[in-house]
Amino acid sequence: MEQSEKLRIRKNYTDLLRDLQVDYYVLDYLFQQGVLTMDDRERVMAQVTTRDKTRMFLDLLMKKDNKDAYTHFCFSLKEDHSFLLDLFGSTEITKEDIRNCGEVPAAEETEMLQEFQKELRHHYIDLYTQTDTVPWNEEIEVSLPKVFTDLEIVEKDTVKRQLMGPVTLGDLFTTVPVPGKTAPPKRVFIDGVPGMGKSTLCQKLSYDWAVGTPGSSVKNFDLVLFIEAQHILEDWDVLEAMYDQLFPRDFRFSLADLIWYLQRNHENVLVIVDGFTEGSSQLQEKVLEFLQGKYLRHASCVITSRPTKISAKYFDLRLRCKGFTLRSVKKFISQYFHDRSPAYYVGLIKQINSEILLLQLVQNPFNTFLLCLLWDDNQGQLPVSVTQLFRDIILCIIKCFCHSKRISMNDNDVPAECLKLLADTEQLAFDGIIQSKREFSKTELDRITQDENLYKIGFLAKAPPRSLLNASSYYSFVQRNFQEILAAMHTLKLTDEERTQYFKRFLDKQETRILCIFITGVFKDQPSNLRELFEILAEFCTSDNDTIVVSADSQKVRYSFNLTTKAYSLCFHCLNEVDNPDHYAGFIAQSMPEDLFLDLKILQNHYLCHPTTGSCYSVLENMPCPRSVMVLELSYFSESDSAKTAASVYKTLSHVAKHSSGQYELFVYCDGVNRYGFASIPYVLNILSKLNSQERNGFLQTRVKSINFLVQGCSVLRTMTDEEMHREMKVSDPARKSLPPIVIYTNVTPCPNLRKVPHKLCTMNEAECRDMRSEGEISAQILARNNPELNIEIRPAEIPCEFVMELH
C-alpha cells in the first residue's frame, strides 16, 4: 500500500472506527482477493466489539505491502459504505503529510514529544493551580500544592490479604523491587472509599509532573496522561479518551499522531485512570485490555477505584488510600484557618481528639473540610450523629446561598423559596440513586425545574466537559454523601408502603446501604416508623448467611460463625442515628446468632459516641446468652497500642457475660499466616489473666466454660532456637492459675505453604514429628509441656481454607 493511501486511512481513522462494519462483506472480500490471510481474518473476528474489529482490521490493512490493497478496500466499500469513499475523496493530502506518513526523523519525533509535553503541562497547571474550594462561593479559591495534605497510603499484601507499611507519593515508582521481580513497580492500583482523596492524589501527581516538583516520583516520565473514567463515552477506549480529555480541538497533532507516538515510545509514559468503577462496564473491559498488555504493554500506570474485586495479576503494587492521619488533619485545619489565630480552631482539634466518631469521620479528607466549614459557621458546635452532621452542613449551605442572593433567613428557618429548591434537589438525588446516576445533564435538571438556582444553591457542581469536542453541561453532587442524605430526606415524602419497599431495596446492595443509616436518622423522632425499619433490619440480619462452619473435636461439634458482621455493623450505625437506641436495640439483639463473631475492629466503630452506653453495648445487653463468642488475636486491633485495644476487647467480652445468663465458650483465632499464630497464645493468655485479676469476680472464672484457640500454623517458630521457643511459649502472669480450661484446636489440614518443622526446634524425636498431622499440633505439645500448671487440652479441628481468606 502506498504512503498516500495509508495516510487517507490514517486521516479518517476515527470516522472509520465509528462507521465501518468489517465483519460482513468487507472482511470476506479482502480475504477473497488475497489481501488478508486466514490468520488475519481470525484475529479480526476474535475481537468482541464492532469498533475493536474495525481497529484490528485497519491496523492489519495498513501494514500490507500488497500494492492493490487500497483499491480492493475501496471497492469493498461501494455496497454499504459509499459515504466513506466520498470522505476519502475529499481528504486533502499534502507533500508534508506524505513525508510524515513514513518514518519520522528523530528530530521531528522529538518535536512531537515537546508539543505533547507543552500542551499537557499547560493543561494541568491551568486546571489545578487555582481550584474552587466550595461550589457555592466561587470567590474562595486555593492552590492545589498549598491545600494538598499528605494522605495515608498503605501497601496491600495480595497473598496474605492484609495491609502492610506506608507508602509515600515520592516512593510510588521508586520503591524497591516487588517480590519476584528485578525492577520497581510499573502498574499500581490504589483503592479507597469515596472522599478519601484518590482523585486529588491523581491531580497532585499530574501537577507535580507539570511543574517538575523536586522529589516527585513522576518527574522523570516523558508524558503523564491523566483521564477520568466517569467522563469517557461508552464506545471509546483509553487512547481516544486521552486525546479527548487532554488536548484542545485545534491541537496541531491528531489522535492518530498520539497513537503512533505512544506505540513507539510508551516505555517512559505514565497513564493515570481515575475512578475505574465509575466508568461503564465497556470501559472497564477496555482498561483491563490495557492492563493485560494488549497495547502500550510497557507503559506505567496508576488505576484508582473504589474498593472492588479486580485480579491482583494485573498489578505490581496494590495500595489502599486511607485518607488523613491525625497529623494530616491538624495540618489541614491549620491551613484552612490560615488567616485566623490558633486559638480559633484549637477547640475543633481538641474535639476531634476526644471523640472517636470524629476521628473516624476526618479520615475522609472531604469530611474534614466540611467539619471546618461547619465549625466556622456555627462557632464551635458540632453534632454527634452522621445524619445530623450532614443536615447541619446542608443548612450551612442554604445560609450561604441566601446570603449571596440577599434572601432573608431567620435563624434556622429555611425560606419558602429555598424549600422548593431543596425538595427538587432531594427528588433529583433520590432519582439518581434509583437509577445509579451521580451526574446529570442540563436537560435532566430542566425536567424537574426550570429554576437555574437548582444547580447554584450549592449541592451540585458543574462537572468538567465529558469531551473537549462536546461542550454540553453536566452537573454532579459535590460529594456522594450529599446525594445520599438528600435522597434519604426525600423518603419523608413517600408513603409507608413505598418507604418500606425502597428501604428493603437499599439493603440488598452494599453500595446503597448507607441510605438506610441516613433514613433512620431522618426518622429519628418518629417511633412508629423507626420500629418498622428496625424490624426490617433484624430480619435482614437473620437472612445474612455469610457464615463459615468450623468442626471441632472428635464429636464434630459444628460452630457457624458469621465472619463479616456487615449486617450488624449496619444496624449499629443505624442505632447511633436515633435518639433512644435502647428502645430499638432489642430487635437487633434477638437476631444475634448462637455462635457470635465479634470483629471488634468493625464493631468498635459503633459505640464510639457513647463509650459505655452506645449502640453496640445496648444490643449486647439485650441478647440471649450465646453458645460461643469468637474474637481475633487480641494483638490484631491496634499496631500502636495493642494493650489498650486488648482491654477494649476484654471489656466487651465481660459485657456479654454480665448481661446474659449461662456460660459461653470463648474462641480466639490465631493465624500463623498473618502474624505469629501459635506463638501469640501465651501473649493472649497473659493479657486475659492480667485483666481478669484486675476485675472483681472476673467473668473468666464464672461465665466462660473454656478459652478455645483455633490455630492455623506458626511460621515464626521456625526462626527460634530451643531456648527462645521455650521462653516465648511460657505463660508468666501470676494469676494464670485462675484461667478456665484451655482448649487448643489445631487444624488437621496444614496451611498450603506449611513446611515441616526442623527437628532442632522441638524436643520430640523424628518418629513423633512424623506422627503429628500439623505444625500447630507440635507447637501445642510444646505449650502444654512449658505450662504444666494450666489445664491445656489439644483437639483436632477442621478449619476451612477460606477461613483465613475471609478474615483478611
Side-chain angles (χ1 to χ4, degrees):
M1 186 181 296
E2 298 292 334
Q3 287 186 348
S4 61
E5 296 168 340
K6 292 180 181 179
L7 189 55
R8 288 187 189 278
I9 296 176
R10 179 176 169 182
K11 281 202 165 189
N12 296 286
Y13 194 79
T14 55
D15 291 318
L16 289 168
L17 287 181
R18 184 184 65 240
D19 299 326
L20 178 60
Q21 294 184 338
V22 301
D23 49 352
Y24 297 108
Y25 181 76
V26 175
L27 189 64
D28 293 338
Y29 180 78
L30 292 184
F31 173 69
Q32 173 185 299
Q33 298 302 319
V35 176
L36 298 179
T37 66
M38 177 62 75
D39 181 62
D40 293 335
R41 189 176 186 279
E42 290 176 352
R43 289 179 65 185
V44 172
M45 295 305 295
Q47 304 304 307
V48 178
T49 66
T50 299
R51 194 181 188 89
D52 288 341
K53 291 176 181 176
T54 303
R55 180 182 289 104
M56 177 62 72
F57 167 77
L58 293 176
D59 291 347
L60 291 172
L61 181 64
M62 293 174 69
K63 294 177 183 178
K64 296 300 179 181
D65 295 328
N66 189 325
K67 65 179 181 179
D68 296 323
Y70 182 77
T71 303
H72 290 311
F73 175 49
C74 290
F75 185 84
S76 71
L77 299 177
K78 288 184 178 180
E79 184 172 340
D80 296 318
H81 300 88
S82 57
F83 62 95
L84 292 176
L85 290 176
D86 297 335
L87 193 63
F88 286 161
S90 62
T91 301
E92 182 181 355
I93 306 296
T94 65
K95 292 182 179 179
E96 183 71 12
D97 290 332
I98 295 175
R99 186 176 64 84
N100 288 337
C101 186
E103 289 295 321
V104 177
E108 294 190 25
E109 187 173 323
T110 301
E111 181 186 359
M112 183 181 291
L113 171 61
Q114 292 172 346
E115 285 296 315
F116 286 140
Q117 291 174 334
K118 177 182 176 180
E119 196 59 48
L120 287 170
R121 288 193 170 107
H122 176 78
H123 175 72
Y124 295 143
I125 293 173
D126 183 60
L127 198 60
Y128 302 132
T129 298
Q130 292 294 122
T131 58
D132 293 338
T133 307
V134 290
W136 58 87
N137 192 337
E138 297 178 356
E139 296 179 359
I140 302 178
E141 289 188 340
V142 296
S143 172
L144 176 65
K146 291 181 180 179
V147 77
F148 183 83
T149 306
D150 290 337
L151 301 167
E152 184 182 12
I153 308 173
V154 294
E155 184 179 353
K156 296 171 66 177
D157 189 314
T158 56
V159 177
K160 300 178 182 178
R161 298 198 178 183
Q162 63 182 6
L163 300 180
M164 308 294 285
V167 176
T168 65
L169 284 184
D171 295 334
L172 205 55
F173 293 100
T174 58
T175 54
V176 296
V178 293
K181 299 192 177 182
T182 59
K186 290 181 69 69
R187 308 218 159 188
V188 180
F189 180 77
I190 305 175
D191 70 4
V193 298
M196 283 298 179
K198 301 183 297 297
S199 297
T200 306
L201 185 149
C202 294
Q203 295 169 6
K204 184 65 164 61
L205 287 174
S206 303
Y207 182 86
D208 284 346
W209 174 81
V211 300
T213 300
S216 170
S217 63
V218 299
K219 67 176 182 178
N220 293 324
F221 285 106
D222 290 338
L223 296 175
V224 171
L225 302 161
F226 170 36
I227 58 176
E228 298 176 89
Q230 64 174 333
H231 299 142
I232 301 177
L233 300 180
E234 287 189 1
D235 57 343
W236 284 17
D237 65 16
V238 174
L239 296 173
E240 291 171 302
M242 289 176 188
Y243 190 81
D244 178 72
Q245 292 189 21
L246 300 175
F247 299 99
R249 187 181 306 177
D250 59 352
F251 187 49
R252 172 183 170 186
F253 295 104
S254 66
L255 169 62
D257 294 323
L258 176 65
I259 293 175
W260 179 88
Y261 179 84
L262 292 177
Q263 287 175 339
R264 293 167 56 92
N265 304 279
H266 55 267
E267 291 83 359
N268 203 32
V269 170
L270 173 63
V271 177
I272 303 175
V273 181
D274 182 36
F276 172 77
T277 52
E278 296 179 36
S280 65
S281 57
Q282 294 93 327
L283 171 68
Q284 292 179 22
E285 292 177 3
K286 299 290 186 184
V287 174
L288 290 179
E289 288 180 1
F290 165 61
L291 295 173
Q292 290 167 359
K294 292 189 176 180
Y295 54 96
L296 307 187
R297 179 185 297 272
H298 301 294
S300 299
C301 72
V302 173
I303 308 293
T304 73
S305 169
R306 296 183 179 188
T308 187
K309 292 183 179 179
I310 183 170
S311 176
K313 68 182 180 181
Y314 298 128
F315 303 99
D316 303 318
L317 184 65
R318 290 169 64 94
L319 303 175
R320 167 67 52 82
C321 184
K322 299 182 69 177
F324 279 164
T325 62
L326 183 57
R327 180 179 179 181
S328 301
V329 170
K330 293 177 180 178
K331 180 180 178 182
F332 181 90
I333 292 174
S334 65
Q335 289 175 337
Y336 183 90
F337 296 111
H338 67 278
D339 56 345
R340 308 285 186 91
S341 68
Y344 179 78
Y345 58 81
V346 70
L348 176 58
I349 295 177
K350 286 183 178 179
Q351 194 165 346
I352 290 173
N353 279 330
S354 62
E355 298 185 18
I356 307 181
L357 171 63
L358 295 182
L359 284 173
Q360 296 288 329
L361 285 176
V362 296
Q363 288 180 7
N364 185 310
F366 187 77
N367 288 344
T368 306
F369 162 71
L370 294 179
L371 285 177
C372 292
L373 182 68
L374 194 59
W375 182 268
D376 203 20
D377 189 71
N378 290 347
Q379 301 178 356
Q381 298 297 318
L382 293 180
V384 252
S385 79
V386 177
T387 304
Q388 191 58 48
L389 172 65
F390 277 95
R391 295 187 85 167
D392 285 353
I393 292 172
I394 287 172
L395 186 62
C396 176
I397 293 172
I398 293 175
K399 286 180 180 180
C400 292
F401 175 76
C402 290
H403 176 75
S404 66
K405 296 294 182 180
R406 300 183 183 276
I407 300 174
S408 177
M409 182 173 177
N410 297 323
D411 296 327
N412 293 335
D413 295 331
V414 180
E417 50 263 63
C418 292
L419 285 174
K420 176 63 168 62
L421 285 174
L422 186 59
D424 291 339
T425 310
E426 291 170 2
Q427 177 74 61
L428 180 70
F430 185 82
D431 292 345
I433 292 292
I434 298 302
Q435 299 168 25
S436 300
K437 292 183 65 175
R438 186 180 171 187
E439 197 171 86
F440 309 89
S441 67
K442 180 67 165 55
T443 304
E444 290 173 309
L445 267 62
D446 289 342
R447 292 196 193 106
I448 293 179
T449 180
Q450 297 293 322
D451 191 343
E452 291 188 354
N453 286 324
L454 180 66
Y455 50 86
K456 293 181 179 180
I457 192 170
F459 304 114
L460 297 169
K462 191 171 184 179
R466 290 184 173 181
S467 166
L468 293 176
L469 306 179
N470 180 6
S472 300
S473 297
Y474 286 85
Y475 299 85
S476 62
F477 285 91
V478 292
Q479 215 264 352
R480 184 166 180 82
N481 288 141
F482 272 145
Q483 183 177 3
E484 291 160 343
I485 181 63
L486 289 165
M489 291 167 64
H490 179 72
T491 61
L492 288 166
K493 302 176 178 65
L494 302 178
T495 64
D496 291 345
E497 182 179 352
E498 289 173 332
R499 183 168 50 254
T500 300
Q501 173 189 348
Y502 283 116
F503 192 81
K504 292 179 178 179
R505 178 174 173 177
F506 295 149
L507 277 176
D508 286 341
K509 293 184 178 180
Q510 178 67 31
E511 59 267 24
T512 57
R513 287 177 186 170
I514 190 173
L515 270 84
C516 299
I517 299 172
F518 284 135
I519 290 173
T520 54
V522 299
F523 281 93
K524 67 177 184 177
D525 55 355
Q526 299 185 27
S528 59
N529 288 315
L530 278 180
R531 180 184 178 90
E532 181 182 7
L533 295 180
F534 278 103
E535 287 175 347
I536 295 172
L537 285 168
E539 182 181 354
F540 170 66
C541 289
T542 56
S543 64
D544 184 6
N545 295 318
D546 192 6
T547 60
I548 196 161
V549 176
V550 175
S551 299
D553 71 35
S554 57
Q555 284 75 40
K556 296 292 182 184
V557 178
R558 295 166 63 84
Y559 298 91
S560 299
F561 294 105
N562 183 311
L563 293 184
T564 63
T565 67
K566 289 177 183 176
Y568 295 104
S569 172
L570 175 67
C571 294
F572 295 143
H573 269 307
C574 292
L575 284 168
N576 271 345
E577 298 302 303
V578 302
D579 292 333
N580 299 300
D582 291 348
H583 293 176
Y584 310 100
F587 294 109
I588 309 304
Q590 296 305 312
S591 68
M592 299 291 270
E594 181 184 30
D595 298 311
L596 181 62
F597 180 80
L598 290 180
D599 186 349
L600 273 296
K601 211 171 188 180
I602 294 177
L603 300 188
Q604 66 174 346
N605 296 340
H606 313 293
Y607 51 83
L608 300 178
C609 300
H610 314 282
T612 56
T613 60
S615 61
C616 179
Y617 284 116
S618 296
V619 171
L620 297 179
E621 289 172 6
N622 287 273
M623 65 177 288
C625 183
R627 177 177 66 166
S628 61
V629 178
M630 178 183 287
V631 296
L632 300 178
E633 257 179 85
L634 275 71
S635 57
Y636 268 30
F637 308 123
S638 172
E639 295 179 2
S640 59
D641 192 349
S642 58
K644 179 179 178 181
T645 313
S648 176
V649 177
Y650 181 88
K651 176 183 175 182
T652 305
L653 294 171
S654 176
H655 202 80
V656 174
K658 289 178 179 178
H659 294 277
S660 59
S661 58
Q663 292 182 310
Y664 65 83
E665 296 182 73
L666 172 60
F667 278 82
V668 181
Y669 176 68
C670 297
D671 172 21
V673 174
N674 175 61
R675 221 167 166 85
Y676 294 107
F678 206 101
S680 66
I681 292 181
Y683 169 81
V684 173
L685 290 175
N686 277 320
I687 287 183
L688 289 176
S689 177
K690 180 179 179 181
L691 293 173
N692 191 62
S693 64
Q694 294 173 355
E695 182 181 26
R696 185 176 180 182
N697 299 321
F699 78 97
L700 287 178
Q701 297 104 311
T702 58
R703 307 302 297 278
V704 175
K705 294 180 181 179
S706 60
I707 302 176
N708 307 281
F709 290 92
L710 293 180
V711 181
Q712 185 83 18
C714 183
S715 56
V716 75
L717 289 183
R718 304 191 194 104
T719 64
M720 294 182 182
T721 64
D722 286 354
E723 182 180 351
E724 289 173 334
M725 183 171 53
H726 286 284
R727 182 177 65 249
E728 292 295 327
M729 299 299 283
K730 180 70 176 176
V731 181
S732 57
D733 187 78
R736 61 188 181 276
K737 293 183 180 180
S738 62
L739 291 173
I742 298 164
V743 180
I744 298 173
Y745 290 104
T746 60
N747 200 7
V748 296
T749 305
C751 300
N753 297 323
L754 197 63
R755 294 186 287 118
K756 192 73 174 179
V757 182
H759 172 61
K760 68 176 183 178
L761 294 185
C762 64
T763 57
M764 304 175 192
N765 58 43
E766 293 183 7
E768 289 175 313
C769 286
R770 284 196 300 270
D771 291 338
M772 295 299 173
R773 288 176 292 181
S774 72
E775 188 179 42
E777 194 167 351
I778 298 174
S779 305
Q781 294 285 358
I782 298 171
L783 180 69
R785 293 183 184 183
N786 278 9
N787 299 278
E789 67 277 15
L790 298 181
N791 184 359
I792 299 177
E793 184 179 353
I794 304 169
R795 299 178 186 172
E798 295 178 8
I799 307 173
C801 293
E802 62 269 21
F803 191 98
V804 61
M805 308 308 289
E806 286 290 341
L807 287 179
H808 299 291

